[in-house]
Amino acid sequence: MDFGHKKLYINGELTPAVGNTHFDLISPLNEKVVATLSWATIQDTLNTLNAAQKGFEFWSKLSVEERENWILKLRSKIIEKSDVLREMMMYEMGKSWNGTQEDMTSITNSLEFYAKEIKNKTDIPINDKEGTHTHKVIHQPIGVVVAFLAYNFPLLNLGFKLGPALAAGCSIILKPSEFSPLSAYMIGEICEEINFPKGVINVICGDVTEVGIPLCESTIPKLITMIGSTETAQKLIAQSSSTSIKRYSMECGGNAPFVVFPDADLDKAVTDGFDLKYGNAGQVCVAPNRFYVHDTIFDDFVEKFTQKVKTIKIGYGKDEENSSFMGPLANKQSLVKMDDIVKKAQEEGAKLLFGGERIAKEGFYYQPTVLLFKNNEANTLQKEIFGPVALITSFSSIEEAIALSNSTSVGLASYVYSSDEDTLHQFTEELEFGEVHLNGFKYDIYLPHGGIKNSGIGVDCSVFALDDYLIKKRVTKEL
């Protein structure tokens, strides 16, 4: 598959990079070049920043209804191009064909949700106790937004930022990951095709020194938002805060515990844990990292779980009926990381129950892996896996399970399975995570998604995400 040459999208136009610099995108499916991308220089980045500022000045002055019409026009064209976008994601990131649908659903739902939800952001009156003044709080767009996107969900991540930014009246610079930028470039092509207002949406990608650092150090952006690792977030904050005060909305890494009690529905816990762990080849920030299973059901859980893992079909293709469940990892670095994790886990006494090796074929494929731990203090249990490796260990009491779950510097998602309401309530109160899922899980555009501790600040999805893109201005008038 060859998607040809793709250009940057700056100020409403598809344009080659200054100096015609380019980048060959390698597919993790087969290690072959699938597209050649214009690769931005510092000058392209400066041009983009200036275009976004002008785009904001225009876009922020449009009525909510005018913005809604443009957003829904963009959404309709994305739906029209859904097949090619899904194919791009399969080749750029290694998703299964069925897995690409989640990205498409997420970006289209986000655009529709925020185009409607912004209408509910009305003025907030404040009563004057003395009756001498009137007061209200109004909402206004914050300004130019820079969005740094992770590679694991190319259009889901993009949609989570694009929807609220456009609805709020902000212009946005989309900087996709260098591992999966192809579908984002296609969004630029779609914007040009429908003549989306100039400078409101911009898509550029390039080296950190040419794009990432200049975007952060500029005083033009008023909000830096991202989805990625905690380490990346720290770098972005350090680089951007040295020149001006900016707002941040960042969804960072996770280390999700998955706790199973003897009174849980064991089959459901196994199925949910399996789906969450190995979907998208484990490259999900909310995927379970650490399975804590009560010692009285530990053997049963491990047996059922491992049997499901052994049935995973690996590969790629568009035949939905026979589609693989799991594709490759997105890049070669992840293969090295999985090898390192498995090796260090075994050095710490973990038992390799299944998998643990690269698959000998073209592409970046890694076996779905199950590791059993006896040492709950193992260092491996404190690191985000971001791949198809499950770490399973046991516990004997509620207090131990809570302490083990919280023994991490991050706090994004967590999962607890039990039929006892008191147990569920205790975990709800004491778990140090932005999300607590009980006896199941659900993610959707109207549900807030965000972490605490080193898992980030701000919120993606839901009405609460709009607050990151809006300023609140108090207006007081004397009577």
Side-chain angles (χ1 to χ4, degrees), residues 8-14 59 70-71 73-75 77-78 81 85 107 111 158 162 166 172 174 183-203:
L8 307 171
Y9 179 66
I10 303 172
N11 199 32
E13 297 179 355
L14 296 173
W59 186 250
W70 275 113
I71 293 169
K73 185 176 182 180
L74 174 61
R75 178 181 181 272
K77 184 58 69 170
I78 289 174
K81 304 281 188 179
L85 284 166
I107 187 173
L111 292 170
L158 188 153
L162 187 61
L166 293 180
I172 188 168
L174 296 165
S183 54
Y185 275 61
M186 182 67 183
I187 295 298
E189 293 182 3
I190 290 172
C191 288
E192 188 195 54
E193 183 176 343
I194 65 174
N195 295 313
F196 205 89
K198 291 184 176 182
V200 180
I201 300 173
N202 304 273
V203 182

Side-chain angles (χ1 to χ4, degrees), residues 64-357:
V64 170
E65 289 72 25
E66 289 173 308
R67 294 202 298 265
E68 178 186 22
N69 289 337
W70 275 113
I71 293 169
L72 295 182
K73 185 176 182 180
L74 174 61
R75 178 181 181 272
S76 294
K77 184 58 69 170
I78 289 174
I79 292 173
E80 183 182 315
K81 304 281 188 179
S82 62
D83 280 352
V84 67
L85 284 166
R86 290 181 65 187
E87 195 165 31
M88 284 179 170
M89 285 186 286
M90 184 173 69
Y91 275 93
E92 70 179 332
M93 192 263 154
K95 285 181 176 288
S96 69
W97 178 248
N98 288 336
T100 62
Q101 185 57 53
E102 182 178 3
D103 282 73
M104 290 306 308
T105 300
S106 295
I107 187 173
T108 54
N109 283 356
S110 179
L111 292 170
E112 181 179 42
F113 177 82
Y114 288 107
K116 305 295 183 184
E117 194 60 44
I118 191 64
K119 297 176 183 178
N120 295 325
K121 280 289 184 181
T122 55
D123 296 346
I124 304 171
I126 300 176
N127 182 54
D128 186 84
K129 293 183 178 181
E130 291 72 34
T132 58
H133 297 73
T134 61
H135 313 279
K136 64 180 178 180
V137 174
I138 64 174
H139 299 92
Q140 293 182 332
I142 192 171
V144 174
V145 175
V146 173
F148 293 93
L149 308 175
Y151 63 78
N152 58 337
F153 289 95
L155 289 186
L156 176 149
N157 293 335
L158 188 153
F160 283 0
K161 307 302 184 182
L162 187 61
L166 293 180
C170 301
S171 62
I172 188 168
I173 300 171
L174 296 165
K175 194 282 176 189
S177 166
E178 67 272 21
F179 295 121
S180 60
L182 184 57
S183 54
Y185 275 61
M186 182 67 183
I187 295 298
E189 293 182 3
I190 290 172
C191 288
E192 188 195 54
E193 183 176 343
I194 65 174
N195 295 313
F196 205 89
K198 291 184 176 182
V200 180
I201 300 173
N202 304 273
V203 182
I204 64 170
C205 197
D207 295 338
V208 171
T209 55
E210 302 287 312
V211 177
I213 293 175
L215 285 176
C216 286
E217 291 183 343
S218 172
T219 59
I220 289 176
K222 298 300 182 286
L223 169 65
I224 304 291
T225 185
M226 66 150 282
I227 296 176
S229 70
T230 300
E231 293 74 20
T232 299
Q234 290 171 320
K235 291 177 182 178
L236 294 180
I237 292 172
Q239 291 162 358
S240 59
S241 62
S242 63
T243 55
S244 62
I245 299 297
K246 300 177 176 74
R247 186 181 292 181
Y248 301 100
S249 177
M250 297 181 166
E251 189 254 63
C252 304
N255 189 7
F258 192 98
V259 183
V260 186
F261 281 88
D263 56 3
D265 182 334
L266 186 60
D267 288 338
K268 180 169 179 19
V270 167
T271 299
D272 286 357
F274 169 85
D275 289 341
L276 285 163
K277 176 71 261 185
Y278 296 103
N280 210 39
Q283 300 165 116
V284 186
C285 56
V286 297
N289 236 35
R290 306 164 289 152
F291 288 82
Y292 294 120
V293 183
H294 195 273
D295 50 21
T296 59
I297 57 166
F298 183 81
D299 291 342
D300 287 344
F301 179 92
V302 169
E303 182 180 358
K304 290 174 177 288
F305 187 85
T306 306
Q307 286 304 313
K308 287 187 71 69
V309 173
K310 290 178 179 179
T311 67
I312 291 178
K313 183 179 178 182
I314 300 171
Y316 72 94
K318 291 177 64 177
D319 183 348
E320 299 211 26
E321 185 174 336
N322 298 307
S323 177
S324 59
F325 176 79
M326 197 179 92
L329 294 167
N331 52 70
K332 188 173 291 186
Q333 293 93 313
S334 293
L335 278 178
V336 174
K337 180 183 176 183
M338 293 306 111
D339 273 341
D340 186 58
I341 287 171
V342 172
K343 178 183 177 182
K344 289 184 177 178
Q346 289 176 296
E347 289 174 355
E348 292 182 304
K351 179 182 178 181
L352 179 62
L353 202 61
F354 185 77
E357 295 181 351

